[in-house]
Amino acid sequence: MVEIIQKDGTWVFDGDALRLTPGRDKNVGLLRRTLGELTVPLGALAGISFEQGKKAGRLRLRLRDGADPLLHATGGRLSEPHDPYRLLVDSDRFGVAEYFADEVRNALLLEEVPSGAVESYLLPGPPVPLSVSAGDGTASFDGECVKLEWNWKTEEAKAAAGTRTLPVTEITAVEWHPAAGLGNGHLRFTVRGAATKAPPKYDPNAVELWGFKKDPLMALVAAAVQARLPHPSGAPEDAAPGSREPLAPAPSAVPAGDEHDVLLRRLRELGGLHRDGVLTDEEFAVAKQAVLKRM
């Protein structure tokens, strides 16, 4: 086991997973403190880096695409104080940070962890229920429905529609954008059959954010909902919400004579993902059945 303890937080690696605990320093963002300790399985990692600076350095984890619903929902837009996968390192601990990074890299090599995208989330997302008030409203999520309630700062036409209740089965996408410069941010839900290009200020399925302290917490709501939507790389558009069935090759993707071989290779790949723990027994069974139907 290796660990590095800093004012910014503590990272521990036991060979199978990393445990990331935020510190109590004033520079630790509200989102990191609220999210609390994270456990990241080794199989979710694509790499680790350590960058030295004059006064401080940074350890950075790079997760595989599709491994974490928080990263998917925020699209890499979390600033450093709120990003749980960065750790500020004091100059007198540079050697420890380099050793820590080497140990993680060696484990990735020994375990032959692929760096490519995954087909199901490997982190669970924030726990529910949760509720956040910021900008022009309050977003609450109990695991089944999102509730949007408005405050006195909400645009009149939007508030007139009253409280919105969105079943997760009707949500097709969620996105969070922070306020930047003179532009406001938002938390927006795309609802089946009700897509809109209206600005968040007027969109009844969006909370407008103005760059205040609690804005980043809306990313937790986005991540919790994202964790319960079909995985972006593993479910067709017309799949039932919550399904994580990986796509089998489309008939037009390969010549007819080669399709059987492609499907056999797909079965072997799925078997490898199942043995490595990337796919659960249930997910593997569903994915395998989908390929066998094509055969």
Side-chain angles (χ1 to χ4, degrees):
M1 184 181 76
V2 293
E3 69 177 2
I4 179 168
I5 302 173
Q6 294 290 277
K7 293 181 294 183
D8 195 46
T10 299
W11 286 12
V12 178
F13 177 54
D14 63 6
D16 295 318
L18 289 99
R19 192 167 69 250
L20 316 178
T21 306
R24 297 182 179 180
D25 188 72
K26 63 181 181 180
N27 293 322
V28 176
L30 181 59
L31 185 147
R32 281 180 64 195
R33 296 200 303 268
T34 305
L35 191 59
E37 184 176 283
L38 282 179
T39 299
V40 183
L42 184 65
L45 287 183
I48 184 173
S49 64
F50 175 60
E51 305 161 359
Q52 291 190 20
K54 291 183 178 180
K55 295 183 179 180
R58 289 167 177 78
L59 274 170
R60 298 175 186 262
L61 293 181
R62 184 166 58 88
L63 271 63
R64 298 169 65 187
D65 288 344
D68 181 16
L70 174 64
L71 291 184
H72 184 80
T74 57
R77 292 178 287 267
L78 288 175
S79 60
E80 185 166 82
H82 302 290
D83 188 343
Y85 302 117
R86 305 184 197 181
L87 182 72
L88 287 177
V89 179
D90 294 335
S91 58
D92 61 347
R93 290 292 182 269
F94 282 2
V96 177
E98 290 175 341
Y99 176 70
F100 187 96
D102 285 341
E103 287 295 296
V104 175
R105 289 192 198 101
N106 290 337
L108 289 171
L109 289 173
L110 289 173
E111 296 297 327
E112 298 182 343
V113 177
S115 60
V118 298
E119 294 182 339
S120 62
Y121 293 119
L122 303 183
L123 281 86
V128 295
L130 56 85
S131 180
V132 177
S133 297
D136 68 352
T138 297
S140 306
F141 182 51
D142 61 6
E144 296 182 356
C145 291
V146 172
K147 180 181 288 186
L148 302 178
E149 300 172 276
W150 312 116
N151 57 37
W152 64 274
K153 295 171 285 188
T154 309
E155 196 279 332
E156 185 176 352
K158 180 176 170 180
T163 299
R164 299 282 291 167
T165 300
L166 311 175
V168 72
T169 52
E170 294 300 313
I171 297 173
T172 60
V174 56
E175 61 180 12
W176 172 85
H177 282 263
L182 298 178
N184 293 336
H186 65 263
L187 170 67
R188 189 198 298 269
F189 300 95
T190 302
V191 178
R192 192 183 311 279
T196 177
K197 294 183 179 180
K201 180 177 181 178
Y202 303 103
D203 185 355
N205 297 325
V207 176
E208 187 179 35
L209 304 174
W210 300 316
F212 296 142
K213 182 178 179 180
K214 290 188 177 181
D215 282 11
L217 295 183
M218 284 292 185
L220 297 181
V221 179
V225 174
Q226 184 66 56
R228 289 160 177 80
L229 297 182
H231 191 271
S233 67
E237 292 183 358
D238 59 350
S243 169
R244 293 185 180 180
E245 178 180 330
L247 286 171
S252 58
V254 294
D258 296 335
E259 184 175 3
H260 189 75
D261 291 338
V262 170
L263 294 174
L264 286 176
R265 287 198 298 272
R266 181 62 172 151
L267 281 175
R268 287 194 291 270
E269 291 169 0
L270 290 171
L273 292 172
H274 181 236
R275 287 192 300 274
D276 293 339
V278 175
L279 293 178
T280 65
D281 291 344
E282 181 181 356
E283 290 167 343
F284 173 68
V286 171
K288 179 180 176 182
Q289 187 62 32
V291 176
L292 290 176
K293 284 181 180 179
R294 294 298 313 280
M295 296 178 69

